[in-house]
Amino acid sequence: MRVSYQLKGGRTSITLTADQYSIGRDPDCDIVLEEDAVSRRHAILERSGTTWRIRDLGSRNGTSLNERRVKASVAVSPGDTVTCASAQLKIEADLPVTVELGSPRLKPLAAPLSEREREILKLVAEGMTDAEIAAHLHLSRKTVESHLDRIRDKTGCRRRPDLTRLAVQLGILG
């Protein structure tokens, strides 16, 4: 996951790689919010298994998740907004990735896959034909083909085995 927030010099974002991030006005915090209403050590963003959680540290002006006051450790998800006093942090999904053919490395996608595209990619990886996917999702075959064309444009993966490998590397298929 990533967190983006406003600094005096403009908006910035960080990818969450450690297990815990301190948030506050103190320069020693991992995420420094340059607003007077933010406490020196305002909140903690921490990983709990595969989930990220926000916890207020008894700050004077409080912490909110999607405009609801945080009273205990609360799970956050991509799309959520964490507010520390008047400073806002936006929780974002990781940058999407795709397989560079012939290499185990991953590189950024041209654009993120939609939920429907991820669903279709999973069904392709499970071995379904376009017609089977269409019947399973109650779509026309032409719609499934359009989704597959967009997936191919975004990922550069043209063949079904490449799409299956991509689904495994993205964690869509175990």
Side-chain angles (χ1 to χ4, degrees):
M1 254 189 336
R2 295 165 37 89
V3 175
S4 66
Y5 53 98
Q6 189 70 35
L7 290 175
K8 288 182 181 171
R11 196 146 187 89
T12 190
S13 67
I14 61 168
T15 300
L16 303 178
T17 55
D19 288 333
Q20 189 177 68
Y21 291 84
S22 57
I23 303 168
R25 203 176 68 243
D26 191 302
D28 290 333
C29 286
D30 301 306
I31 298 174
V32 178
L33 301 175
E34 302 166 332
E35 293 193 26
D36 292 336
V38 173
S39 296
R40 292 185 74 67
R41 300 200 49 86
H42 199 97
I44 293 284
L45 186 61
E46 56 195 346
R47 186 189 331 249
S48 175
T50 58
T51 304
W52 282 93
R53 305 181 74 79
I54 189 75
R55 178 170 44 99
D56 186 78
L57 295 176
S59 64
R60 185 173 25 120
N61 293 315
T63 302
S64 299
L65 175 64
N66 301 326
E67 299 182 18
R68 297 180 90 179
R69 189 74 176 244
V70 171
K71 296 189 186 320
S73 179
V74 179
V76 297
S77 301
D80 286 344
T81 300
V82 173
T83 306
C84 296
S86 58
Q88 291 192 333
L89 295 92
K90 186 74 175 167
I91 308 298
E92 301 170 347
D94 286 329
L95 291 175
V97 294
T98 185
V99 178
E100 187 177 319
L101 296 180
S103 168
R105 289 189 32 214
L106 298 175
K107 65 178 184 178
L109 284 174
L113 296 179
S114 69
E115 286 301 314
R116 179 62 89 182
E117 290 165 347
R118 292 175 68 86
E119 185 177 23
I120 289 173
L121 181 60
K122 180 179 187 289
L123 296 174
V124 166
E126 290 174 350
M128 285 189 173
T129 65
D130 293 358
E132 291 169 332
I133 293 169
H136 181 76
L137 298 176
H138 307 289
L139 300 171
S140 73
R141 184 174 175 171
K142 196 75 170 154
T143 300
V144 171
E145 290 169 358
S146 293
H147 281 297
L148 285 170
D149 286 342
R150 280 194 295 281
I151 292 168
R152 289 179 176 117
D153 289 343
K154 291 176 180 181
T155 66
C157 296
R158 299 282 167 225
R159 301 176 310 124
R160 284 178 113 78
D162 296 330
L163 292 171
T164 300
R165 200 169 13 257
L166 174 67
V168 170
Q169 290 188 318
L170 291 176
I172 294 171
L173 182 70

